[in-house]
Amino acid sequence: MEAAWPELEAAARERRRELSLPGAAVSERVAAGGGRLPAALLGLPLLQSLELSGCAALRELGPGLAAALPALHTLVLRCNALGPAGLGPGLGGQLPALRLLDLSGNGLEELPAELGGAEGCGEQQQPAAFPQLRSLNLSGNRLRELGPGLARAAPQLQALLLSGNRLRALPGRLLPPAAAFPLLSRLEAADNEVEELGADIAALPALKSLDLANNRLTELPAALADCPRLKEANFRGNQLRDKRLEKMVNGCQTKAILEYLRAGGRGKGKGENAREEARKKKREKQQKKDGGEGEQDELEAVSKLLVKVLHVSENPTPLVVKVSPGVRDVRPFIVCCVLKGVNLNPGNALKRFLTAQTKLHEDICEKRTAATIATHDLQLVKGPLTYDVQPPGELKITPLGRKEIKAKDLLRQLQLEAEEQRKQKKRQNVSGLHKYLQLLDGKDNYPCLVDAEGVVISFPPITNSEKTKIRKTTHDLFLEVTSDTSLQICKDVMDTLILKIAELNKFTLENKEEGSGSDNEPDALCGPVNVNPGQNTQQSFPLVVEQVRVVDTDGNLKVLYPSKTDLTTVSSLLTFCTEFFVGILERNELSNQCLLSFSLLQKEPWSAGVTEHFFGSFFGGLFGSLFSGFFSSFFGSLFSGFFSRFFGSFFSSFFCGFFI
C-alpha cells in the first residue's frame, strides 16, 4: 500500500502552482514507494514550480512527469540519488515552459538522452525538449563529457553550471558544428579535471562569465580574447606555464589577461593574433557604419541621459562595505554604489520608482533567484557597512511596514500569511514577500547588511529595513545588489537599475506633475534650485554615481563599482561627463549644443566636420556665457538673453574659423 501524501492532497485541493517537499521529511515515504516520486504528483497539472532536495532515497522520477506537468517552469532536484536511468523516464518528453532545472549533487555519470546524452546525439530532427530553459545546474556530479545534443535540447540556455564534475576538456563535444548557445552568458566548470580549453570557446557570442578555477590547465588559447562580451574570467588554481599570465590570473585581472592573449601571449601566435585583431577592428568599423551614425545619431545624442561618475579619489567621504568570510557559503556576491540627484517628490514619481524595482526583480533578477535589489535613503545609512551572516534566531530587523522581529519569526509569519492568502483568494500564486520564502530553504545562516550602529538595514533576498526606507523627499540613494550566483550578474543588474532610475528621473523632469505638499519647499527639490522657472531643466543637472568599495575584513579590495568596465552594457543610452563639463552645463544656455559636441567626440573619429562642430558649439557656448554674464551685470538681466545669443554666435563663428 502506497504511503499517504497529505502535502499532495492539499496541493490538489487548493490548486497550487508551487510545491516544495523537504527531503528529510519525505525520505521514508519515497523509499517505501520504490525510490521514485509518488504517482499522486502527476495529478497536479497546474504545478509550475517543484522542489524536492536532500532526499537520499530518491533514485528515479518515475514515468510520465513531463506529460503530466506541462506548465512546469522550475524543477529543483538537487542533492538526491538520481542517475541517468532514473531521469530518463521522468524527462521522457518535452517540458515547453521549463526555465530552471537544478540537478546538482546527484552523482550523475552521464546525462539522459533528453538532456543531450550519448543516446540523443543523433536526434537532430527532433524538436527541442526544453525550448525555454534558461538555467541548467549540473554541479556536483561525476560527468566526464557533454554531448552536442544539449545545445539542441536547450537552445535558449543562458547559464550552464558544471563545477565539481570530472570533465577533461571544454567546450569539448558540447558545441555542435552549427551555431549553438547564442544566449549562453555564464559558464562555470571549476573543480573539474579540465586539461584543455579549446579555441572554439570563442564561438559563444554572449559569454560574459567563465569560471575554470582549480583545473589542470597549463595554457590558455589566444581565441579566448575573441569572446566579444567576456568580462569576468577565473582561472585561479591552474598550473599555467606562462608565469606572467599566471600572475594576472591570480590577480583576477580579466581585462589584462585578454589583452595579453590578444597581443600574442603564451609565446606564440603573434602574427595570427595581429591579423585577427585587424579583422576585428574592420568588423567593428563596419558595424558602426551599418549603425548609421549620421545626423540622426547627433540628434539622439542630445536626448541621452546625463550621468557623472564620482571616483573614490574625488570623494572626501567614500562609503565602504566590509564583507565577512561567512557570506561565502550563503550569498557571496555584493555590489554597491551611491546615486545622487534623484527626484521622487512630484506626483507619482515614487510609485513609478517602486514599480520599476518590482519589475526588475521579476525580469532581470528572475524573481530574485539570480539577484536581489535593495534601495536605501543615503541620508539614513550610517557607514561603514558590514555584509555579514547571522543565525535566524539572532538576526533582528524592522521590515518595511512591520515592527522589529527575528528573521526566523518573520519567515514563519510570512509562511502563515501565504497559506491564509491562498485560502482566502482561492489562488495558487501568492504575492509580495511570500513568494520568495523558498530562497532561504536549508540555510543555517541568513545574509544581512549591517550599519555602523549594528542595525540590520537589509535582509536579502527578503526585505529592507524600515529605518532606511525611501520616501518622496529622498534625493540620494544607496543601491545594493546581492546574488548567490555570480559577481557579473550583480554588475549587470546594477547597470540596468541605474539606467532605469536615470530614465525615470528624466521622465519626472520632462513631465510637470503636481507634487506633494512639500513641493514648494526648496529642500524638496532634487539638486540645485532653478531660480528661473521658465528655463528648461531637462538636462541641466546630471545624476551622480559615486563609487563604493567592497573590501574583506583585512581591507583588501574585492569589488569597486562602477569600475572602468562597468556600465558598458548601457553606455549607448548614457553620456558620462566630467566635473568641468557639468559646471558649463549649469551656467550655459547652449548646454544642448555642448552636450551634442561632447557626445560626438566620444564616438566619432576626429574629422574636420566634427572638429568644427565641437569647437564652434563648445567654446562658443563657453565664452558666450562668460561675456554675456559680464555685460548683463552692467545692463541688467533684461538683456541677458540678447547678450548670450549675440556672444554665443560671435564666438562660435570665431572658433570655427580659428581651429579649421
Side-chain angles (χ1 to χ4, degrees), residues 432-641:
L433 302 178
H434 310 93
K435 55 187 175 183
Y436 305 123
L437 299 180
Q438 78 281 359
L439 298 178
L440 290 175
D441 286 351
K443 304 289 186 184
D444 297 327
N445 293 297
Y446 291 165
C448 58
L449 190 63
V450 185
D451 68 7
E453 299 175 345
V455 177
V456 175
I457 64 172
S458 179
F459 172 27
I462 303 300
T463 184
N464 293 1
S465 170
E466 182 74 19
K467 178 183 178 180
T468 57
K469 178 180 178 180
I470 292 177
R471 295 172 172 81
K472 294 178 76 70
T473 55
T474 299
H475 302 155
D476 305 330
L477 306 176
F478 174 68
L479 308 179
E480 157 209 344
V481 178
T482 59
S483 172
D484 61 356
T485 304
S486 81
L487 180 63
Q488 189 58 49
I489 287 179
C490 289
K491 291 187 173 185
D492 290 344
V493 171
M494 185 68 84
D495 288 354
T496 307
L497 176 62
I498 291 175
L499 174 63
K500 177 56 67 176
I501 295 175
E503 291 174 346
L504 293 174
N505 212 47
K506 181 174 182 287
F507 179 85
T508 300
L509 292 173
E510 289 178 341
N511 297 271
K512 299 183 182 297
E513 298 178 286
E514 293 184 4
S516 64
S518 60
D519 276 342
N520 296 325
E521 301 176 11
D523 61 355
L525 298 176
C526 170
V529 179
N530 180 16
V531 295
N532 183 2
Q535 184 176 345
N536 181 13
T537 61
Q538 172 182 333
Q539 284 286 351
S540 296
F541 307 109
L543 292 173
V544 177
V545 183
E546 293 186 2
Q547 290 180 319
V548 171
R549 298 171 68 245
V550 177
V551 301
D552 60 19
T553 52
D554 296 325
N556 300 315
L557 182 65
K558 292 176 67 69
V559 186
L560 176 66
Y561 184 93
S563 65
K564 292 181 179 179
T565 59
D566 296 323
L567 290 170
T568 55
T569 56
V570 296
S571 60
S572 61
L573 302 173
L574 297 173
T575 293
F576 302 98
C577 55
T578 64
E579 188 67 40
F580 172 73
F581 187 66
V582 173
I584 293 173
L585 291 182
E586 292 176 350
R587 297 187 299 270
N588 188 11
E589 282 188 355
L590 301 177
S591 60
N592 279 349
Q593 291 185 4
C594 290
L595 174 58
L596 172 57
S597 304
F598 190 81
S599 300
L600 280 173
L601 288 179
Q602 288 184 317
K603 63 180 181 178
E604 294 287 350
W606 191 265
S607 63
V610 175
T611 307
E612 179 180 1
H613 191 104
F614 173 74
F615 284 113
S617 299
F618 184 80
F619 284 103
L622 173 61
F623 282 89
S625 177
L626 294 176
F627 273 77
S628 66
F630 175 76
F631 278 91
S632 295
S633 63
F634 286 97
F635 293 96
S637 59
L638 180 64
F639 297 96
S640 61

Side-chain angles (χ1 to χ4, degrees), residues 113-170:
E114 290 72 22
L115 274 173
E119 298 178 10
C121 291
E123 304 290 335
Q124 300 189 26
Q125 304 302 321
Q126 295 294 329
F130 311 103
Q132 297 299 322
L133 189 64
R134 298 293 191 270
S135 177
L136 175 60
N137 191 346
L138 296 170
S139 302
N141 287 290
R142 294 193 288 268
L143 298 172
R144 295 187 179 275
E145 66 173 346
L146 299 173
L150 180 58
R152 292 187 287 270
Q156 302 297 312
L157 200 62
Q158 296 178 4
L160 179 57
L161 312 183
L162 301 167
S163 297
N165 281 281
R166 299 177 181 176
L167 299 174
R168 296 290 183 89
L170 201 75

